[in-house]
Amino acid sequence: MSVGRVILAGAGPGDPELITLKLLCALQSADIILSDRLVHPDICRLHARASVPVVLVGKQGYHPGSVPQVDITQRMLDEAMAGKTVLRLKGGDLAFFSNVLDELEALVKMNIPYELIPGITAASGASALAGIPLTGRGFARSVQFIAFHPSTEDSEYDRLACDLENVTKVLYMGAARLISVLAALRERGVDGSMPVAVVEKATTTAQRVHVSTMEEAPAQWAGLDFGSPALVIIGRVVSLHHRFDWYEPTEAGTTPYPALPSV
Ligand code: SAH
């Protein structure tokens, strides 16, 4: 039997219409789909062939119901070795803070043909739908995308605090520990008036945007549990939100994402 192939694709930030035409074609040619949790379920429901299995290989932080990466990679290899066209769907862009490298290395090692399809990362989606242009002229000269882990060290806080007057910082996976992050930045001299935003479920019909400042956020957001997934934006550009807040979500309080199994 001849070997199949793997298409690794970014499925966009949330809104199921924010996918590429290339992904649309891939959805129609796949024999099996392995999908991350942060891929909007409508993407497969509406565009994949009805007979095609969609396997949820979700991961959520350190959630015990997460599927281990080795199992995901093995399943992907097994299906391709069995001659199938495997579509591996990841939230946002396929390469931003994902395990794409593990999967690529395994594919190369096994000599399995593959293709990469980029997607719109959460920062771009959140930026557009929250009306916060990430490098708005006069407000920021560059932007950094940063992933937050429980093991984040002091030196990383130093880097995060650095040059916030010119550089917008977007934190992936950082909302749960935001108050302590803000305290660490204040200790490093970041101005109390520096605005900060949290965008929950960006680009979905349940999107919520919270805006505050370094100084006021700890009191304003105390006890608030930001809905997953959430993205943090720190920088002067955040002040543009109140002028360009055009998007009106219609389903506040809901979530389009499937829950992981409880174990
Ligand atoms: N590859 C993805 C990121 C994976 S890391 C991408 O390019 O977007 C997962 C983190 O991305 C989440 O913890 C959250 O911080 C962010 N994220 C993904 N989708 C999001 C959404 N719709 N709204 C807000 N944050 C999101």
Side-chain angles (χ1 to χ4, degrees), residues 13 38 91-93 96-97 121-122 172-173 199-202 229-231 257:
L38 293 182
D93 179 69
F96 274 64
F97 310 122
T121 191
Y172 286 68
M173 301 180 273
V199 186
E200 291 174 32
K201 300 173 198 155
L231 200 75
Y257 301 106

